[in-house]
């Protein structure tokens, strides 16, 4: 495909990141950043701030301890099972500086999920928050793990505050189990001992693996995407280039509600904002909207990332509109489709346009984004980033004309090396010409803007017609009385498949008849939901993405 999007790039945005200074590895980029912004705050959590200088010192000490105490060497895998707390960036950067490969683990995983990820990756070391120690204890006998490093939420806090928080969580709130793992190491003690050691420099090349980022768990067995140092550094530079005219180095304050172990937040928040000297305000539990809004009220934040469900929950929470948005410059939505109704409400409440971007784990993750100066929601995920090439393919692998629908395929320096020890799955997602098949059904207009129609596996076929759940969800989300909605395809004797809508009500008197009547005003007949089910809640992933597969399997709790 001709790179038609380049002519619509914002002014002064280069077409390629090759024109910019680069780094051979994440540690090289990290150390340069810490030196440049040493006195500035890097991460903030629960009233405690970690500066770039402190982050460099703590991560260096932990990396030295990895080498001298655990004798970990370049290429060893280390699992990090932490929520958004200060220990995450320290542990992650320490691991990378020691040449290790980071395996991010969702702390809410069950023991069986943890067993699969650890066994598949071959990680023999795990860092875990004490709150989730029981899961690790249950998984240990079935894994090759030799070293368990346990941390408490307050380990990087001043001692009085650390003790008070730990006492409350363990003895009053009962959030920390009364169990111990023989031979486990203490995180804080490891850093203290590491400060007496010297970190031996590790030669890391751009092609070395930095992360095994697991993906696909909602559609089958999770696979580890091999993301190299080059992949991550390239995507950071692509993001920095794209948003450089809006954001100011050393001045930005980012609300970090999405978990850092998720690829969207890892790249956009942990790496990108840190790279430009920004402060990450860590939200440990974004499901607690009341607490989150309270935390946001204390900070003059300038940037925020999130997914549609988070933005939806915030605009529907009364106290959110009372916040001071005068410093807010940019809000970036990704991870799932941003619905027009939510984007418009967000703009009305905050005065800032919700910029939709697009990415996937296999691309580190960002592929495309709307311009930073976007004036209003446009229903697209924007233009391909610098040094990124895209095309749209039909089922036979042939490129389709501009404006027609097909599967998005991409190339770029951010595209993964493949799936860890899984050549068969790797071969399925790469064409012979080297294009990564995303599994997303899209169209690209004459200006190069990409519109996501649906995940290939989620598309519904009604009597031969393609129906895209995102389109129907977008319509239903604008109906007064609908708090949340998800649409799936269900078997139908007459049409092969039919559309079913799961709705969480915003008002008790909303009826299925009202929903159907509303749909007739905006949708053609075969797109109108044939079944409507009202629910107490919709099943979601750890970052708030609605799990359509769970809905298809009828695991949602039905309201009485």
């Amino acid at each position: 495909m001709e790179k038609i999007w380049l002519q619509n790039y914002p002014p002064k945005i280069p077409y390629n990141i090759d024109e910019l200074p680069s780094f051979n590895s994440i540690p090289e980029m990290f150390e340069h950043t810490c030196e440049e912004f040493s006195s500035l705050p890097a991460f903030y959590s629960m009233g405690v701030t970690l500066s770039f200088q402190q982050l460099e010192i703590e991560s260096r000490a932990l990396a030295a301890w990895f080498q001298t105490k655990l004798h970990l060497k370049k290429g060893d895998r280390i699992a990090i099972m932490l929520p958004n707390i200060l220990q995450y960036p320290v542990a992650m950067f320490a691991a990378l500086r020691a040449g290790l490969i980071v395996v991010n683990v969702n702390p809410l995983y069950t023991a069986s999920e943890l067993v699969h990820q650890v066994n598949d990756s071959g990680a023999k070391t795990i860092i875990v928050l004490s709150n989730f120690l029981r899961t690790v204890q249950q998984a240990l006998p079935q894994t090759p793990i030799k070293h368990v490093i346990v941390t408490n939420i307050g380990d990087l806090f001043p001692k009085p505050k650390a003790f008070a928080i730990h006492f409350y969580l363990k003895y009053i709130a009962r959030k920390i189990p009364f169990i111990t793992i023989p031979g486990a190491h203490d995180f804080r003690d490891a850093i203290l001992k590491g400060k007496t050691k010297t970190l031996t420099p590790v030669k890391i090349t751009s092609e070395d693996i930095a992360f095994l980022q697991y993906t696909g768990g909602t559609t089958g067995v999770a696979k580890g995407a091999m993301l190299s140092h080059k992949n991550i550094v390239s995507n950071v530079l692509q993001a920095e280039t794209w948003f450089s005219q809006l954001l100011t180095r050393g001045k930005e304050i980012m609300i970090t509600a999405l978990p850092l172990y998720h690829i969207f937040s890892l790249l956009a928040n942990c790496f990108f904002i840190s790279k430009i000297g920004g402060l990450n305000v860590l939200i440990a539990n974004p499901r607690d909207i009341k607490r989150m809004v309270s935390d946001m009220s204390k900070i003059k934040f300038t940037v925020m990332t999130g997914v549609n469900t988070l933005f939806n929950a915030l605009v529907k929470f009364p106290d959110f509109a009372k916040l001071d948005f005068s410093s807010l410059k940019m809000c970036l939505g990704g991870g799932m489709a941003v619905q027009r109704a939510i984007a418009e409400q967000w703009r009305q409440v905050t005065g800032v346009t919700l910029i939709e971007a697009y990415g996937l784990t296999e691309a580190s993750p960002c592929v495309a984004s709307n311009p930073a100066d976007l004036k209003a929601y446009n229903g697209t995920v924007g233009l391909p980033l610098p040094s990124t090439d895209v095309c749209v393919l039909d089922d036979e692998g042939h490129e389709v004309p501009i404006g027609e629908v097909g599967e998005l395929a991409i190339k770029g320096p951010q595209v993964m090396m493949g799936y860890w020890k899984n050549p068969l799955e790797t071969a399925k997602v790469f064409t012979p010409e080297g294009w990564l098949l995303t599994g997303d059904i899209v169209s690209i207009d004459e200006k190069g803007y990409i519109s996501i129609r649906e995940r290939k596996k989620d598309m519904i076929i009604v009597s031969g017609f393609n129906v895209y759940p995102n389109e129907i969800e977008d319509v239903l989300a604008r109906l007064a009385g609908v708090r949340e909605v998800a649409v799936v395809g269900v078997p139908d004797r007459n049409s092969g498949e039919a559309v079913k809508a799961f709705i969480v009500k915003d008002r008790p008197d909303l009826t299925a008849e009202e929903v159907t009547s509303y749909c007739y005003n905006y949708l053609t007949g075969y797109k109108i939901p044939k079944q409507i089910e009202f629910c107490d809640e919709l099943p979601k992933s750890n970052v708030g993405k609605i799990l359509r597969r769970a809905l298809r399997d009828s695991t949602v709790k039905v309201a009485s």
Side-chain angles (χ1 to χ4, degrees), residues 222-431:
K223 306 175 289 292
M226 296 185 289
L227 303 180
S228 68
H229 285 264
K230 178 183 178 180
N231 292 153
I232 297 295
V233 170
S234 295
N235 212 215
V236 171
L237 294 178
Q238 287 168 318
E240 182 178 13
T241 300
W242 194 252
F243 298 111
S244 61
Q245 295 181 351
L246 181 66
L247 305 182
T248 305
R249 296 175 64 80
K251 298 293 184 182
E252 307 304 337
I253 301 176
M254 170 83 87
I255 295 295
T256 302
L258 298 182
L260 291 174
Y261 56 79
H262 186 271
I263 190 63
F264 180 20
S265 188
L266 177 67
L267 192 288
N269 300 57
C270 198
F271 285 126
F272 165 51
I273 287 297
S274 293
K275 169 67 167 57
I276 64 171
L279 168 63
N280 272 283
V281 177
L282 301 180
I283 305 295
N285 181 17
R287 296 177 188 271
D288 186 348
I289 296 296
K290 182 177 181 180
R291 175 65 181 269
M292 178 177 171
V293 171
S294 176
D295 289 343
M296 293 172 71
S297 69
K298 303 168 187 174
I299 298 161
K300 299 281 285 186
F301 56 95
T302 64
V303 191
M304 182 176 178
T305 56
V307 294
N308 188 76
T309 47
L310 176 63
F311 296 129
N312 184 26
L314 287 171
V315 295
K316 286 180 167 55
F317 188 75
D319 288 346
F320 179 70
K322 301 175 185 177
L323 296 181
D324 179 4
F325 299 107
S326 61
S327 299
L328 186 59
K329 296 180 181 179
M330 186 178 82
C331 296
L332 190 65
M336 63 183 296
V338 173
Q339 295 170 341
R340 181 176 295 275
I342 305 307
E344 290 173 351
Q345 290 176 54
W346 184 267
R347 172 77 185 184
Q348 183 178 3
V349 171
T350 67
V352 175
T353 300
L354 189 50
I355 299 171
E356 188 169 7
Y358 166 78
L360 64 162
T361 301
E362 290 85 346
S364 304
C366 199
V367 173
S369 175
N370 274 288
D373 61 353
L374 187 70
K375 302 305 179 186
Y377 176 81
N378 61 13
T380 80
V381 294
L383 306 168
L385 294 183
S387 293
T388 303
D389 202 0
V390 303
C391 67
V392 182
L393 306 176
D394 62 20
D395 290 339
E396 284 72 45
H398 302 130
E399 190 171 337
V400 304
I402 295 295
E404 292 195 14
V405 172
E407 182 175 3
L408 180 66
I410 63 173
K411 284 184 180 181
Q414 73 271 48
V415 173
M416 70 169 182
M417 303 167 70
Y419 293 121
W420 173 255
K421 294 184 176 179
N422 202 332
L424 292 178
E425 290 298 321
T426 299
K428 289 179 183 178
V429 298
F430 281 100
T431 71

Side-chain angles (χ1 to χ4, degrees), residues 81-83 85 87 127-133 150-153:
M81 193 173 177
L82 300 175
I85 56 177
Q87 290 91 314
I127 302 176
V128 59
L129 183 66
S130 57
N131 303 47
F132 310 106
L133 202 54
V150 182
T151 186
N152 295 306
I153 283 182

